[in-house]
Coordinates of all heavy atoms in Angstrom, one line a residue:
Chain B
S668 N 177.0 117.1 124.8 CA 175.6 117.2 125.3 C 174.5 117.8 124.4 O 173.4 117.4 124.4 CB 175.6 117.9 126.6 OG 176.0 119.2 126.5
D669 N 174.9 118.8 123.7 CA 174.0 119.6 122.9 C 173.7 119.1 121.4 O 172.7 119.3 120.8 CB 174.3 121.1 122.8 CG 173.9 121.8 124.1 OD1 173.4 121.1 124.9 OD2 174.1 123.1 124.1
F670 N 174.7 118.4 121.0 CA 174.6 117.9 119.5 C 173.8 116.7 119.5 O 173.9 115.8 120.4 CB 176.0 117.6 118.9 CG 176.7 118.9 118.5 CD1 176.5 120.1 119.0 CD2 177.6 118.7 117.4 CE1 177.2 121.2 118.6 CE2 178.2 119.8 116.9 CZ 178.0 121.1 117.5
T671 N 173.0 116.5 118.6 CA 172.3 115.2 118.4 C 173.1 114.3 117.7 O 174.2 114.6 117.2 CB 171.0 115.4 117.4 OG1 171.5 115.7 116.2 CG2 170.0 116.5 118.0
P672 N 172.9 112.9 117.8 CA 173.8 111.9 117.1 C 174.0 112.3 115.6 O 175.1 112.2 115.1 CB 173.1 110.6 117.3 CG 172.3 110.9 118.6 CD 171.8 112.3 118.5
A673 N 172.9 112.7 115.0 CA 172.9 113.1 113.6 C 173.9 114.2 113.3 O 174.7 114.3 112.4 CB 171.6 113.4 112.9
Q674 N 173.8 115.2 114.2 CA 174.7 116.4 114.2 C 176.2 116.1 114.3 O 177.1 116.6 113.6 CB 174.2 117.6 115.2 CG 172.9 118.3 114.8 CD 172.5 119.1 115.9 OE1 172.7 118.9 117.1 NE2 171.8 120.2 115.5
R675 N 176.3 115.2 115.3 CA 177.8 114.8 115.5 C 178.3 114.0 114.3 O 179.5 114.3 113.8 CB 177.9 113.8 116.7 CG 178.1 114.6 118.0 CD 178.3 113.6 119.2 NE 177.3 114.1 120.2 CZ 176.4 113.2 120.7 NH1 176.3 112.0 120.3 NH2 175.6 113.7 121.7
A676 N 177.6 113.2 113.8 CA 178.0 112.4 112.6 C 178.2 113.4 111.4 O 179.2 113.2 110.6 CB 177.0 111.3 112.2
H677 N 177.4 114.3 111.2 CA 177.5 115.2 110.1 C 178.8 116.1 110.3 O 179.5 116.2 109.2 CB 176.2 116.1 110.1 CG 176.4 117.3 109.0 ND1 176.6 117.3 107.8 CD2 176.4 118.6 109.3 CE1 176.6 118.4 107.2 NE2 176.5 119.3 108.2
T678 N 179.0 116.6 111.5 CA 180.1 117.4 111.8 C 181.5 116.6 111.6 O 182.4 117.2 110.9 CB 180.1 118.0 113.2 OG1 178.9 118.7 113.3 CG2 181.3 118.9 113.5
K679 N 181.4 115.4 111.9 CA 182.6 114.5 111.7 C 182.9 114.4 110.2 O 184.1 114.5 109.7 CB 182.5 113.1 112.3 CG 182.8 113.1 113.8 CD 182.8 111.6 114.2 CE 182.5 111.5 115.7 NZ 182.2 110.3 116.2
R680 N 181.8 114.0 109.4 CA 182.1 113.9 108.0 C 182.6 115.2 107.3 O 183.5 115.2 106.6 CB 180.6 113.5 107.4 CG 180.2 112.2 107.6 CD 179.1 111.8 106.7 NE 177.9 112.6 106.8 CZ 176.8 112.3 107.6 NH1 176.8 111.2 108.3 NH2 175.8 113.1 107.7
V681 N 182.0 116.3 107.8 CA 182.4 117.6 107.3 C 183.8 117.9 107.5 O 184.6 118.4 106.7 CB 181.5 118.8 107.6 CG1 182.1 120.1 107.2 CG2 180.1 118.5 107.0
L682 N 184.3 117.6 108.8 CA 185.6 117.9 109.1 C 186.7 117.0 108.3 O 187.7 117.5 107.9 CB 185.8 117.6 110.6 CG 185.2 118.7 111.6 CD1 185.4 118.3 113.0 CD2 185.9 120.1 111.3
W683 N 186.2 115.7 108.1 CA 187.1 114.9 107.2 C 187.2 115.3 105.8 O 188.2 115.3 105.2 CB 186.7 113.5 107.3 CG 187.0 112.7 108.5 CD1 186.3 112.2 109.5 CD2 188.4 112.3 108.9 NE1 186.9 111.5 110.5 CE2 188.2 111.6 110.2 CE3 189.6 112.4 108.3 CZ2 189.5 111.1 110.7 CZ3 190.7 111.9 108.9 CH2 190.6 111.2 110.1
L684 N 186.1 115.8 105.4 CA 186.0 116.3 104.0 C 186.7 117.6 103.8 O 187.4 117.8 102.8 CB 184.6 116.5 103.5 CG 183.7 115.2 103.3 CD1 182.3 115.5 103.3 CD2 184.3 114.6 101.9
L685 N 186.6 118.5 104.9 CA 187.5 119.8 104.8 C 189.0 119.4 104.8 O 189.8 120.0 104.1 CB 187.1 120.7 105.9 CG 185.7 121.4 105.8 CD1 185.5 122.1 107.1 CD2 185.8 122.3 104.7
L686 N 189.4 118.3 105.6 CA 190.8 118.0 105.7 C 191.2 117.4 104.3 O 192.3 117.8 103.8 CB 190.9 116.9 106.7 CG 192.3 116.4 106.9 CD1 193.3 117.6 107.4 CD2 192.4 115.2 107.9
A687 N 190.3 116.7 103.7 CA 190.7 116.2 102.4 C 190.9 117.2 101.4 O 191.7 117.3 100.5 CB 189.6 115.2 101.9
Y688 N 190.0 118.2 101.4 CA 190.0 119.4 100.6 C 191.3 120.2 100.7 O 191.9 120.7 99.9 CB 188.8 120.4 100.8 CG 188.6 121.5 100.0 CD1 188.4 121.4 98.6 CD2 188.6 122.8 100.5 CE1 188.3 122.5 97.8 CE2 188.4 123.9 99.7 CZ 188.2 123.7 98.3 OH 188.1 124.8 97.5
A689 N 191.7 120.3 102.0 CA 192.9 121.2 102.3 C 194.1 120.4 101.8 O 195.2 121.0 101.5 CB 193.1 121.3 103.8
I690 N 194.1 119.0 101.7 CA 195.2 118.3 101.4 C 195.3 118.2 99.8 O 196.3 118.3 99.2 CB 195.1 116.7 101.9 CG1 195.4 116.8 103.4 CG2 196.1 115.9 101.2 CD1 195.1 115.5 104.1
V691 N 194.1 118.1 99.2 CA 194.0 117.9 97.7 C 194.2 119.2 96.9 O 194.9 119.2 95.9 CB 192.6 117.3 97.4 CG1 192.2 117.6 96.0 CG2 192.7 115.8 97.6
L692 N 193.8 120.3 97.4 CA 193.8 121.6 96.6 C 195.1 122.1 96.3 O 195.4 122.5 95.1 CB 192.8 122.5 97.3 CG 192.5 123.8 96.4 CD1 191.8 123.3 95.1 CD2 191.7 124.8 97.2
P693 N 196.0 122.3 97.4 CA 197.3 123.0 97.1 C 198.0 122.4 96.0 O 198.5 123.1 95.1 CB 197.9 123.0 98.4 CG 196.8 122.9 99.4 CD 195.8 122.1 98.8
P694 N 198.3 121.0 96.0 CA 199.0 120.4 94.8 C 198.4 120.7 93.6 O 199.1 120.9 92.5 CB 199.1 119.0 95.2 CG 198.2 118.8 96.3 CD 197.9 120.0 97.0
L695 N 197.1 120.6 93.5 CA 196.4 120.8 92.2 C 196.6 122.2 91.7 O 196.9 122.5 90.5 CB 194.9 120.5 92.4 CG 194.4 119.1 92.5 CD1 193.0 119.1 92.9 CD2 194.9 118.2 91.3
V696 N 196.6 123.1 92.6 CA 196.8 124.5 92.2 C 198.2 124.7 91.8 O 198.4 125.4 90.8 CB 196.4 125.5 93.4 CG1 196.9 126.9 93.2 CG2 195.0 125.5 93.8
W697 N 199.1 124.1 92.3 CA 200.5 124.3 92.1 C 200.7 123.7 90.7 O 201.4 124.3 89.8 CB 201.4 123.5 93.0 CG 202.9 123.8 92.8 CD1 203.7 124.7 93.3 CD2 203.7 122.9 91.9 NE1 205.0 124.6 92.9 CE2 204.9 123.5 92.0 CE3 203.5 121.8 91.1 CZ2 206.1 123.0 91.3 CZ3 204.6 121.4 90.4 CH2 205.8 122.0 90.5
V698 N 200.2 122.5 90.4 CA 200.4 121.9 89.1 C 199.8 122.8 88.0 O 200.4 123.0 86.9 CB 199.7 120.5 89.1 CG1 199.6 119.9 87.7 CG2 200.4 119.4 90.0
R699 N 198.7 123.2 88.3 CA 198.0 124.1 87.2 C 198.8 125.5 87.0 O 198.8 125.8 85.8 CB 196.5 124.5 87.8 CG 195.8 125.4 86.7 CD 195.2 124.5 85.5 NE 194.6 125.2 84.6 CZ 195.1 125.4 83.3 NH1 196.2 124.9 83.0 NH2 194.4 126.2 82.5
A700 N 199.4 126.0 88.0 CA 200.2 127.2 87.8 C 201.5 127.0 87.3 O 202.1 127.9 86.6 CB 200.3 128.0 89.2
N701 N 202.1 125.8 87.4 CA 203.5 125.7 87.1 C 203.7 124.6 86.0 O 205.0 124.3 85.7 CB 204.3 125.2 88.3 CG 204.3 126.3 89.5 OD1 205.0 127.3 89.3 ND2 203.5 126.1 90.5
T702 N 202.7 124.0 85.5 CA 203.0 123.0 84.4 C 201.9 123.4 83.3 O 201.0 124.1 83.5 CB 202.7 121.6 84.9 OG1 201.4 121.4 85.2 CG2 203.6 121.2 86.1
A703 N 202.3 122.8 82.2 CA 201.5 123.0 81.0 C 200.5 121.8 80.7 O 200.4 121.3 79.7 CB 202.4 123.2 79.8
V704 N 199.7 121.5 81.8 CA 198.8 120.4 81.6 C 197.7 120.7 80.5 O 197.3 121.9 80.5 CB 198.2 119.9 82.9 CG1 199.2 119.3 83.8 CG2 197.6 121.2 83.6
A705 N 197.3 119.7 79.8 CA 196.3 120.0 78.7 C 195.5 118.7 78.5 O 195.7 117.7 79.3 CB 197.1 120.4 77.5
G706 N 194.6 118.8 77.7 CA 193.8 117.7 77.4 C 192.7 117.4 78.6 O 192.1 118.4 79.1
Y707 N 192.5 116.2 78.9 CA 191.5 115.9 80.0 C 192.1 116.2 81.3 O 191.3 116.0 82.3 CB 191.2 114.4 79.8 CG 190.2 114.2 78.7 CD1 190.7 113.5 77.5 CD2 188.9 114.8 78.6 CE1 189.9 113.3 76.4 CE2 188.1 114.5 77.5 CZ 188.6 113.8 76.4 OH 187.8 113.7 75.3
I708 N 193.4 116.4 81.5 CA 194.0 116.5 82.9 C 193.4 117.7 83.6 O 193.0 117.5 84.8 CB 195.5 116.5 82.8 CG1 196.0 115.2 82.3 CG2 196.1 116.8 84.2 CD1 197.5 115.1 82.2
P709 N 193.3 118.9 83.0 CA 192.7 120.0 83.8 C 191.3 119.7 84.2 O 190.9 120.0 85.3 CB 192.8 121.2 82.9 CG 193.8 120.8 82.0 CD 193.8 119.3 81.8
L710 N 190.5 119.0 83.3 CA 189.1 118.6 83.7 C 189.2 117.7 84.9 O 188.4 117.8 85.8 CB 188.5 117.9 82.5 CG 187.1 117.4 82.7 CD1 186.1 118.5 83.1 CD2 186.7 116.6 81.5
L711 N 190.1 116.8 84.9 CA 190.2 115.8 86.0 C 190.6 116.4 87.3 O 190.0 116.1 88.3 CB 191.2 114.7 85.6 CG 191.2 113.5 86.5 CD1 190.0 112.7 86.5 CD2 192.4 112.5 86.0
M712 N 191.5 117.4 87.1 CA 191.9 118.1 88.3 C 190.7 118.9 88.9 O 190.6 119.1 90.1 CB 193.1 119.0 88.0 CG 194.4 118.4 87.7 SD 195.6 119.3 86.8 CE 195.8 120.7 87.9
A713 N 190.0 119.5 88.0 CA 188.9 120.4 88.5 C 187.9 119.5 89.3 O 187.4 119.8 90.3 CB 188.1 121.1 87.4
V714 N 187.5 118.3 88.7 CA 186.6 117.4 89.3 C 187.2 116.9 90.6 O 186.5 116.9 91.7 CB 186.4 116.2 88.4 CG1 185.6 115.1 89.2 CG2 185.6 116.6 87.2
V715 N 188.5 116.6 90.8 CA 189.1 116.1 92.1 C 189.0 117.3 93.1 O 188.7 117.0 94.2 CB 190.5 115.7 91.8 CG1 191.3 115.5 93.2 CG2 190.5 114.4 91.0
A716 N 189.2 118.4 92.7 CA 189.1 119.6 93.6 C 187.8 119.8 94.2 O 187.6 120.2 95.2 CB 189.7 120.9 93.0
A717 N 186.8 119.6 93.3 CA 185.4 119.8 93.7 C 184.8 118.7 94.5 O 183.9 118.9 95.3 CB 184.5 120.0 92.5
L718 N 185.3 117.6 94.4 CA 184.8 116.3 95.0 C 184.6 116.5 96.7 O 183.5 116.2 97.0 CB 185.6 115.1 94.8 CG 185.3 114.4 93.5 CD1 186.2 113.2 93.2 CD2 183.8 113.9 93.4
P719 N 185.5 117.0 97.4 CA 185.3 117.2 98.8 C 184.2 118.0 99.1 O 183.3 117.8 100.0 CB 186.6 117.7 99.3 CG 187.6 117.3 98.5 CD 187.0 117.3 97.0
V720 N 184.0 119.1 98.4 CA 182.9 120.2 98.6 C 181.7 119.4 98.2 O 180.7 119.6 98.9 CB 183.2 121.3 97.8 CG1 182.1 122.4 98.1 CG2 184.6 122.0 98.1
L721 N 181.5 118.7 97.2 CA 180.4 118.0 96.8 C 180.0 117.0 97.9 O 178.9 116.8 98.2 CB 180.5 117.2 95.5 CG 180.8 118.0 94.2 CD1 180.9 117.3 93.0 CD2 179.4 119.0 94.0
G722 N 181.1 116.4 98.5 CA 180.9 115.5 99.6 C 180.2 116.3 100.8 O 179.3 115.7 101.5
I723 N 180.6 117.5 101.0 CA 180.0 118.3 102.1 C 178.5 118.5 101.9 O 177.6 118.3 102.8 CB 180.7 119.6 102.4 CG1 182.1 119.3 102.9 CG2 180.0 120.6 103.2 CD1 183.0 120.6 102.9
F724 N 178.1 118.8 100.7 CA 176.7 119.0 100.3 C 176.0 117.7 100.5 O 174.8 117.6 101.0 CB 176.6 119.5 98.9 CG 176.8 121.0 98.8 CD1 178.0 121.4 98.1 CD2 176.1 122.0 99.5 CE1 178.3 122.7 98.1 CE2 176.5 123.2 99.5 CZ 177.5 123.6 98.7
A725 N 176.6 116.5 100.0 CA 176.0 115.3 100.3 C 175.8 114.9 101.7 O 174.7 114.4 102.1 CB 176.7 114.1 99.6
S726 N 176.7 115.4 102.5 CA 176.5 115.2 104.0 C 175.4 115.9 104.5 O 174.7 115.4 105.5 CB 177.9 115.6 104.7 OG 177.7 115.4 106.0
W727 N 175.2 117.1 104.0 CA 174.0 117.9 104.4 C 172.6 117.2 104.2 O 171.8 117.0 105.1 CB 173.9 119.3 103.7 CG 174.0 120.3 104.7 CD1 173.1 120.7 105.7 CD2 175.1 121.3 104.8 NE1 173.5 121.9 106.3 CE2 174.7 122.3 105.8 CE3 176.2 121.5 104.1 CZ2 175.5 123.4 106.1 CZ3 177.0 122.6 104.4 CH2 176.7 123.4 105.4
G728 N 172.7 116.5 103.0 CA 171.4 115.8 102.6 C 171.3 114.6 103.5 O 170.2 114.2 104.1
R729 N 172.5 113.9 103.8 CA 172.4 112.8 104.6 C 172.0 113.1 106.1 O 171.1 112.4 106.7 CB 173.8 112.1 104.7 CG 174.1 111.0 105.7 CD 173.6 109.7 105.3 NE 173.7 108.7 106.4 CZ 174.8 108.0 106.5 NH1 175.9 108.1 105.6 NH2 174.8 107.1 107.5
Y730 N 172.5 114.3 106.4 CA 172.1 114.8 107.8 C 170.5 115.0 107.9 O 169.9 114.6 108.9 CB 172.8 116.1 108.2 CG 172.2 116.8 109.3 CD1 172.3 116.3 110.7 CD2 171.5 117.9 109.2 CE1 171.6 116.9 111.7 CE2 170.8 118.6 110.2 CZ 170.9 118.1 111.5 OH 170.3 118.6 112.5
L731 N 169.9 115.6 106.9 CA 168.5 116.0 106.9 C 167.8 114.6 107.0 O 166.7 114.6 107.6 CB 168.2 116.8 105.8 CG 168.6 118.2 105.9 CD1 168.4 119.0 104.5 CD2 167.9 118.9 107.0
S732 N 168.3 113.6 106.4 CA 167.5 112.3 106.4 C 167.8 111.5 107.7 O 166.8 110.9 108.2 CB 167.8 111.5 105.1 OG 168.8 110.6 105.4
D733 N 169.0 111.8 108.3 CA 169.3 111.0 109.5 C 168.7 111.6 110.8 O 168.5 110.9 111.8 CB 170.8 110.9 109.7 CG 171.5 110.0 108.8 OD1 170.8 109.2 108.1 OD2 172.7 110.0 108.7

Side-chain angles (χ1 to χ4, degrees):
Chain B
S668 63
D669 277 3
F670 280 33
T671 64
Q674 285 174 329
R675 270 186 233 121
H677 169 64
T678 303
K679 275 187 204 168
R680 285 194 299 266
V681 168
L682 287 173
W683 279 113
L684 287 163
L685 286 173
L686 181 63
Y688 186 60
I690 290 170
V691 152
L692 189 64
L695 290 175
V696 169
W697 187 91
V698 166
R699 184 75 183 111
N701 295 285
T702 64
V704 289
Y707 287 107
I708 294 177
L710 173 65
L711 191 63
M712 288 167 54
V714 169
V715 169
L718 277 177
V720 181
L721 294 177
I723 291 172
F724 287 112
S726 179
W727 241 294
R729 171 80 186 269
Y730 164 70
L731 284 171
S732 95
D733 284 352

